[in-house]
Amino acid sequence: MAHRAAGPVRGMEQVTQALGGRIAYGADYNPEQWPEEVWDEDVRLMREAGVNLVSVGIFSWALLEPEPGTYDFGWLDRVLDKLHAGGIAVDLATATASPPPWFLERHPEATLVDPIGNPRAFGARQAYCPSSVAYRDAATTLIAELVKRYDDHPAVVMWHVNNEYGCHNDHCFCDASAVAFRRWLQERYGAVERLNEAWATAFWSQRYTRWDQIGPPRQVSYGNFANPGQQLDWWRFCSDEIRNLYRVEAAAVRSHSAKPLTTNFMGFRKSLDYRSWTDVGDLVSNDHYLIAADEDRTPQLAMTADLTRSWAHGEPWLLMEHSTSAVNWQPRNIAKTTGEMRRNSFQHVARGADGALFFQWRASRGGAEKFHSAMVPHAGTESRLWRDVVRLGADLSAIAEVAGTRVEQASVAIVFDWESWWAATFDSHPSVDVDPMATARAWHKACWARNLGVDIVGVTDPLDGYDVVVLPAQYLLSDETVDRLTAFVEAGGTLVATYFTGIVDEHDHIRLGGYPGALSDLLGVRIEEFCPLPEGDEIPLTAYGSGAIWSERGRAVGADVVAAYATGDCAGDPAVTRRRVGKGTAWYVGTELAPDALDTLATQIFTTTKPVVGGLPEGVEAIRRVGEQGTYVFVINHTHEAVIVPVRGTDLLSGNEGGPHLVRAGQVAVIREDR
Ligand SMILES: [Zn+2]
């Protein structure tokens, strides 16, 4: 029996050590899709590309356990031996992400059920109910066999538990899930009467008298609205339930191994509140894919990496998957432009990733993801993509000394809380156009464009060290959070809260006495009525420009009105306010500012906030990582123009010394600063 060696998020350091201090570079490797004669070529090409870490066996359950209790590890033995002989380390998967056909055949009760009550068929992946005892038993049995067999294998440096938990089975409405939901509710509320209070069941005659009357929010009658308290607790439960499954599988691994383990998160995955998961693994790893049609996909990547780093409490983390070029699951799968893959990888590493891995190593010939790009494309090694893969491997090797350093303290925190996101976007609300994610992205982009360091934090994370805290439509706030925000401002911080923030408490009950109830005093505004705008309408303001989506009827109570609504029924009412509080400032933004208006306001708010590197045009990112051995400025030029970067030091990629440095259009520099 082994014990756990790593702290909650220090496992990346162990992985880096196992890789000889290098940045991890590699991919999911699925040798089972290919005849064995291809494997030798795989290892040879991995070495050519500088690959040092591959994830093996993620979807191998059906091959490893072809019949229940019958195992075939021979092929995996040979794969791991070949990789080890080639100097390639392995992130070995528990292989539990997708149970084989025999599993549901034996355990039909583990079938995933949708909100209408329909069973979902086998034929893709993740075909199981996350509450299923049979699934947990089958998974942990396989894990025990696998980990006992391979823990001592010299190629294996870490464990990859399951894969993208809940990607296709995050909400299951079967009877077993209903039982688990009731158990979760009993733990949360203790007495049915407390649940009745939290769910406001006095409304619409929903008062429950026994736990067994309560179920998941299955589909209600047409045009009807489910109880929002029930919906909120259901989303909380579903995230917790899958986290519990992660705990069960992680414990099964740890019974036989002390090597670090992780599971790959999926960034801003709405159904999974990963911030409450991060104590399960030994390191945080994340998968990130660009939405090709998103014209702001570059800042969106940066925002996701800023989120991932905050899950890791600032420690290095691992980019487990991204793509070399197009994916297969969007309506139009656009290839990455020249240099985009390299810039994407460096964006992640700049923001704290100590590895850049892809899905997948070799592009598949068959199966649902055969058009997903890979490190070895269908065209083979005579291709631009392969040359870019080899170059990136060399680049990451050249910056190995960055591994283990931390991104310097950010000046801005954007609070983005999952419970609030869920509650803010349920049905029967003032406007379907309210989108906390869109508002958060707009504020993050304003910081990104100015090269301000940003963390995407949760409501319970410490706020020390930030100059500015932004609350983008954080609809649900607890009293405790309000107290901490108040203390932050009084101590000299700048708070920016937007409309639809602080409207309800943790039970999704309205805070009475004027909006935004929780923050009305701190912000010095009292809003009497929401006046959402018709779809697509804009409302002119007396300063900055115009707003959209939202306006409000109310007045300032101690705050200065810096912009009011200029026309319409709310004309003269406050749209943007500022209040001095203690040593700090609290801003309120009561509408969704148009991009130009937000830019003008951001310039005003961030006037004293220090950028990582000043004077760079929008689209040239600069991020600093700090270690005992030195400081490193990553410069990523996403523009079509060369830029002069006023930083002195040695570019680890080009070898150029001195400075300022010229970073050409589309290029990257990693400058070790002169002391
Ligand atoms: Zn279920």
Side-chain angles (χ1 to χ4, degrees):
M1 293 282 279
H3 67 278
R4 218 176 141 187
V9 289
R10 298 302 295 273
M12 191 65 224
E13 195 178 318
Q14 287 175 279
V15 173
T16 303
Q17 276 168 14
L19 301 179
R22 290 173 296 168
I23 305 265
Y25 186 52
D28 286 8
Y29 178 39
N30 299 301
E32 63 269 44
Q33 297 176 12
W34 299 94
E36 289 205 27
E37 50 271 25
V38 177
W39 301 354
D40 290 315
E41 185 188 69
D42 285 334
V43 174
R44 182 175 62 74
L45 291 178
M46 284 177 193
R47 290 175 63 85
E48 186 179 323
V51 165
N52 54 28
L53 182 67
V54 292
S55 302
V56 178
I58 290 170
F59 293 108
S60 300
W61 193 342
L63 288 189
L64 293 174
E65 192 179 4
E67 300 292 337
T70 303
Y71 301 98
D72 175 12
F73 290 117
W75 68 272
L76 186 54
D77 290 349
R78 294 192 293 283
V79 168
L80 295 187
D81 290 349
K82 280 182 194 294
L83 289 166
H84 181 61
I88 316 287
V90 171
D91 164 38
L92 189 57
T94 56
T96 51
S98 208
W102 59 253
F103 173 73
L104 282 186
E105 200 175 47
R106 271 170 83 107
H107 297 288
E109 78 282 7
T111 300
L112 194 73
V113 173
D114 71 15
I116 303 174
N118 294 322
R120 290 300 176 106
F122 182 85
R125 58 179 162 170
Q126 290 188 331
Y128 65 88
C129 161
S131 297
S132 163
V133 174
Y135 172 76
R136 291 177 186 210
D137 287 349
T140 52
T141 302
L142 174 63
I143 289 171
E145 293 295 326
L146 194 78
V147 178
K148 277 190 279 186
R149 186 177 187 92
Y150 294 111
D151 187 45
D152 291 335
H153 196 288
V156 176
V157 299
M158 62 182 287
W159 298 100
H160 185 296
V161 179
N162 210 292
N163 186 69
E164 294 187 342
Y165 273 116
C167 190
H168 306 284
N169 59 351
D170 46 4
H171 288 192
C172 176
F173 294 81
C174 78
D175 291 341
S177 296
V179 169
F181 182 42
R182 281 193 281 275
R183 199 162 48 227
W184 184 94
L185 291 169
Q186 279 177 281
E187 271 177 39
R188 183 176 180 87
Y189 294 106
V192 181
E193 216 24 69
R194 289 190 58 212
L195 175 141
N196 279 313
E197 205 171 303
W199 289 13
T201 57
F203 189 77
W204 280 355
S205 185
Q206 293 172 351
R207 187 170 171 274
Y208 296 102
T209 53
R210 295 191 322 273
W211 292 107
D212 62 5
Q213 294 169 331
I214 303 166
R218 292 173 174 138
Q219 185 108 322
V220 291
S221 51
Y222 297 107
N224 217 330
F225 301 109
N227 181 308
Q230 181 189 22
Q231 292 184 68
L232 179 55
D233 276 339
W234 173 252
W235 282 72
R236 287 169 169 150
F237 157 77
C238 289
S239 176
D240 285 0
E241 187 73 345
I242 299 178
R243 179 190 61 195
N244 291 345
L245 178 56
Y246 180 24
R247 284 206 174 116
V248 167
E249 292 195 69
V253 172
R254 289 190 179 119
S255 294
H256 305 285
S257 176
K259 289 179 178 170
L261 66 82
T262 190
T263 194
N264 43 345
F265 294 166
M266 294 176 285
F268 284 96
R269 173 78 186 191
K270 190 173 185 182
S271 58
L272 303 172
D273 184 6
Y274 292 128
R275 204 172 290 283
S276 71
W277 293 36
T278 55
D279 63 342
V280 184
D282 299 305
L283 62 130
V284 170
S285 60
N286 193 51
D287 296 353
H288 183 266
Y289 291 98
L290 299 174
I291 301 299
D294 181 354
E295 58 184 34
D296 280 333
R297 59 187 185 273
T298 300
Q300 196 279 339
L301 185 162
M303 183 176 175
T304 307
D306 289 336
L307 170 72
T308 309
R309 183 180 65 256
S310 99
W311 286 332
H313 304 291
E315 298 288 342
W317 51 277
L318 180 61
L319 178 65
M320 187 65 86
E321 294 181 18
H322 68 318
S323 69
T324 56
S325 189
V327 300
N328 64 294
W329 44 267
Q330 294 170 15
R332 290 159 203 87
N333 294 294
I334 313 296
K336 288 192 178 179
T337 57
T338 302
E340 191 174 6
M341 172 189 83
R342 182 168 181 258
R343 291 191 298 276
N344 292 163
S345 296
F346 273 98
Q347 282 185 281
H348 288 289
V349 174
R351 288 180 165 73
D354 271 359
L357 277 53
F358 295 97
F359 177 84
Q360 61 179 327
W361 164 249
R362 187 182 280 274
S364 303
R365 291 191 69 184
E369 294 186 298
K370 62 183 176 294
F371 287 116
H372 194 298
S373 60
M375 295 179 88
V376 182
H378 293 143
T381 54
E382 292 298 321
S383 58
R384 179 190 81 164
L385 201 153
W386 174 253
R387 289 187 290 276
D388 288 348
V389 161
V390 172
R391 182 185 180 194
L392 180 58
D395 284 344
L396 293 176
S397 177
I399 65 162
E401 65 188 80
V402 169
T405 61
R406 294 170 59 116
V407 176
E408 75 176 342
Q409 168 71 44
S411 50
V412 181
I414 296 176
V415 176
F416 198 82
D417 175 61
W418 257 245
E419 293 195 349
S420 181
W421 189 14
W422 298 331
T425 49
F426 291 144
D427 48 17
S428 56
H429 272 204
S431 171
V432 296
D433 296 326
V434 174
D435 180 355
M437 169 59 72
T439 308
R441 283 189 62 179
W443 281 91
H444 183 276
K445 191 184 172 193
C447 297
W448 175 85
R450 290 168 171 74
N451 276 311
L452 305 179
V454 188
D455 288 336
I456 307 294
V457 304
V459 281
T460 56
D461 284 325
L463 301 176
D464 326 321
Y466 297 113
D467 297 338
V468 181
V469 170
V470 182
L471 295 174
Q474 294 303 286
Y475 164 76
L476 182 155
L477 288 182
S478 71
D479 293 343
E480 192 268 333
T481 302
V482 173
D483 290 346
R484 290 189 328 107
L485 292 167
T486 305
F488 168 76
V489 179
E490 284 174 346
T494 298
L495 178 74
V496 183
T498 81
Y499 66 102
F500 220 48
T501 291
I503 305 302
V504 299
D505 66 13
E506 62 268 35
H507 299 306
D508 197 10
H509 291 189
I510 302 288
R511 292 174 175 277
L512 302 177
Y515 313 121
L519 294 174
S520 196
D521 290 346
L522 179 61
L523 299 171
V525 292
R526 185 168 177 277
I527 303 304
E528 297 170 21
E529 190 175 5
F530 299 144
C531 306
L533 301 177
E535 185 178 6
D537 273 18
E538 293 200 348
I539 187 162
L541 310 179
T542 56
Y544 303 114
S546 64
I549 295 177
W550 198 263
S551 66
E552 297 176 325
R553 183 170 292 126
R555 61 199 159 88
V557 187
D560 302 327
V561 178
V562 290
Y565 299 106
T567 63
D569 215 39
C570 297
D573 288 356
V576 180
T577 66
R578 179 182 56 203
R579 178 172 177 241
R580 308 278 180 208
V581 183
K583 295 178 185 161
T585 307
W587 291 83
Y588 179 62
V589 183
T591 185
E592 185 70 25
L593 293 174
D596 288 356
L598 176 57
D599 191 58
T600 306
L601 177 62
T603 298
Q604 191 179 356
I605 290 174
F606 295 124
T607 180
T608 58
T609 310
K610 194 170 173 288
V612 177
V613 175
L616 297 177
E618 177 171 336
V620 180
E621 290 184 54
I623 305 98
R624 184 178 282 107
R625 289 185 64 160
V626 178
E628 284 167 16
Q629 68 277 36
T631 63
Y632 304 87
V633 176
F634 285 69
V635 181
I636 304 155
N637 185 353
H638 299 283
T639 75
H640 298 291
E641 308 285 338
V643 64
I644 307 277
V645 180
V647 173
R648 292 196 62 81
T650 304
D651 177 5
L652 302 179
L653 296 175
S654 67
N656 293 341
E657 297 178 353
H661 288 263
L662 178 80
V663 181
R664 293 197 309 275
Q667 297 298 314
V668 177
V670 180
I671 303 162
R672 182 178 57 219
E673 290 178 286
D674 292 339
R675 299 232 186 189

